[in-house]
Amino acid sequence: MSTLNPDKVTKALETPFIREMAEITQHMWRNGWDERNGGNVSYLLDEEEVAKYLDIHQVIRVIEPAFPVHELAGKYFIVTGSGKYFKNVLQDPAGNLGVLRVTPDGSKLELLWGLENDAKPTSELPSHFMSHIERLKVDPDHRVVIHNHATHVLAMTFIHDLDEAKFTKTLWEMCTECIVVFPDGIGIIPWMVPGSSEIGRATAEKMKEYHSVIWPQHGIFGTGTTVDEAFGLIETIEKAAQIYMLVAHHEIKQRITERELSDLAAAFGVTPRPGILSL
Ligand code: 2HA
Ligand code: ZN
């Protein structure tokens, strides 16, 4: 690693979206969800917000994405770097994160800040970009995609049926707040090679209907309108999966019933995805 200039790091961390990225990646690493270079984050930014802190007319270099992203033309993102460790983001934001703008024709990415020493954007950029495209169609306020290797979610994919309805119902049953936090349930794709456009397409297909998608024996994608929301969603799913892994091999003496899940949803004004509760 190059020698770090403490003033440069401090200045970078004064930029709200850089600080948010540095803090959230640190949280996830401390949770044990992002060993080595595991995990990646992308966050759609407003041009005005970026222009407050960075010179948006100064393109550092041009990066070729795996495929053109016309739907995201002109949009700004802050993303984690390929092969970078979440553990290190806070101490070296510019080496581990980058701010990118998609060119007007959607064919290239312009680097405006960070990704120093010729670093590249996350290897999962196809999944992130395709997920942003689909989530934005459903919710214009959508902003954030987070991928990590949440431990108990991953563990659960070894021992639980991967049917989305069954998986979702089990998670809803684990903690009272779950049905309120993710009434739309959880999407699950088959095991696939990561980093590819194929896994990106499969993930994004699920994002048409779900805020969160599980990659069996790998990890989870969570989305939201803010970093807190996307992270909070993953945290809640991970907590439910943890409870499942704690109780799965024990005799269950009582549980939240379907009637109670229904009552809960009604009390909090959410509509559970149809086809999961049999009431
Ligand atoms: O290496 O998590 O899915 C980053 C990843 C790949
Ligand atoms: Zn991963």
Side-chain angles (χ1 to χ4, degrees):
M1 201 192 294
S2 55
T3 342
L4 297 170
N5 173 345
D7 291 340
K8 194 181 124 191
V9 173
T10 306
K11 185 166 178 300
L13 293 175
E14 280 166 5
T15 302
F17 47 85
I18 296 175
R19 171 168 285 279
E20 267 189 284
M21 290 288 281
E23 287 181 344
I24 208 66
T25 46
Q26 181 72 198
H27 274 302
M28 290 194 265
W29 172 65
R30 287 193 185 281
N31 284 349
W33 300 345
D34 298 279
E35 69 292 340
R36 200 172 183 273
N37 62 321
N40 22 79
V41 183
S42 61
Y43 179 3
L44 174 57
L45 305 169
D46 288 336
E47 184 173 64
E48 271 171 46
E49 179 73 359
V50 178
K52 265 197 248 173
Y53 301 94
L54 307 175
D55 180 358
I56 60 168
H57 304 294
Q58 185 72 42
V59 175
I60 299 169
R61 72 187 141 96
V62 174
I63 298 171
E64 200 89 35
F67 52 89
V69 278
H70 308 289
E71 298 90 336
L72 300 175
K75 297 211 184 299
Y76 292 76
F77 291 91
I78 183 164
V79 303
T80 49
S82 175
K84 301 300 180 184
Y85 292 25
F86 277 16
K87 173 173 76 68
N88 298 336
V89 179
L90 200 52
Q91 71 205 44
D92 180 16
N96 294 284
L97 303 173
V99 174
L100 304 166
R101 176 176 54 212
V102 181
T103 53
D105 65 355
S107 72
K108 303 235 166 21
L109 307 171
E110 296 172 320
L111 178 66
L112 301 175
W113 173 87
L115 294 181
E116 287 181 343
N117 304 314
D118 223 24
K120 295 182 181 59
T122 167
S123 61
E124 301 294 1
L125 204 59
S127 288
H128 280 256
F129 274 173
M130 291 188 215
S131 294
H132 281 294
I133 291 169
E134 292 309 328
R135 289 310 309 166
L136 282 167
K137 286 183 196 162
V138 186
D139 177 6
D141 293 329
H142 158 85
R143 292 290 177 272
V144 179
V145 175
I146 297 178
H147 164 63
N148 67 37
H149 301 165
T151 312
H152 298 88
V153 170
L154 224 145
M156 193 169 158
T157 64
F158 285 80
I159 64 169
H160 196 283
D161 198 319
L162 293 179
D163 174 83
E164 287 163 339
K166 289 183 189 160
F167 205 96
T168 296
K169 185 170 175 219
T170 298
L171 291 174
W172 284 353
E173 288 171 338
M174 292 301 111
C175 311
T176 296
E177 66 170 353
C178 281
I179 199 169
V180 180
V181 177
F182 50 96
D184 56 340
I186 310 290
I188 305 177
I189 61 164
W191 187 93
M192 292 173 83
V193 175
S196 60
S197 295
E198 290 71 35
I199 201 169
R201 271 192 288 276
T203 306
E205 195 54 37
K206 295 294 179 187
M207 290 292 181
K208 291 178 178 174
E209 290 187 51
Y210 300 96
H211 284 84
S212 178
V213 177
I214 288 175
W215 288 4
Q217 294 85 48
H218 182 144
I220 185 163
F221 271 74
T223 65
T225 58
T226 61
V227 167
D228 270 359
E229 207 185 77
F231 178 75
L233 174 59
I234 293 179
E235 236 182 346
T236 309
I237 296 165
E238 166 64 8
K239 179 62 175 277
Q242 181 174 14
I243 304 296
Y244 177 77
M245 294 307 296
L246 286 169
V247 303
H249 305 105
H250 296 272
E251 183 194 348
I252 305 293
K253 301 217 168 168
Q254 49 276 318
R255 57 170 65 249
I256 311 174
T257 63
E258 291 213 14
R259 165 54 45 211
E260 287 165 340
L261 285 172
S262 269
D263 291 348
L264 202 49
F268 283 86
V270 297
T271 308
R273 168 180 294 273
I276 298 180
L277 300 179
S278 46
L279 289 174

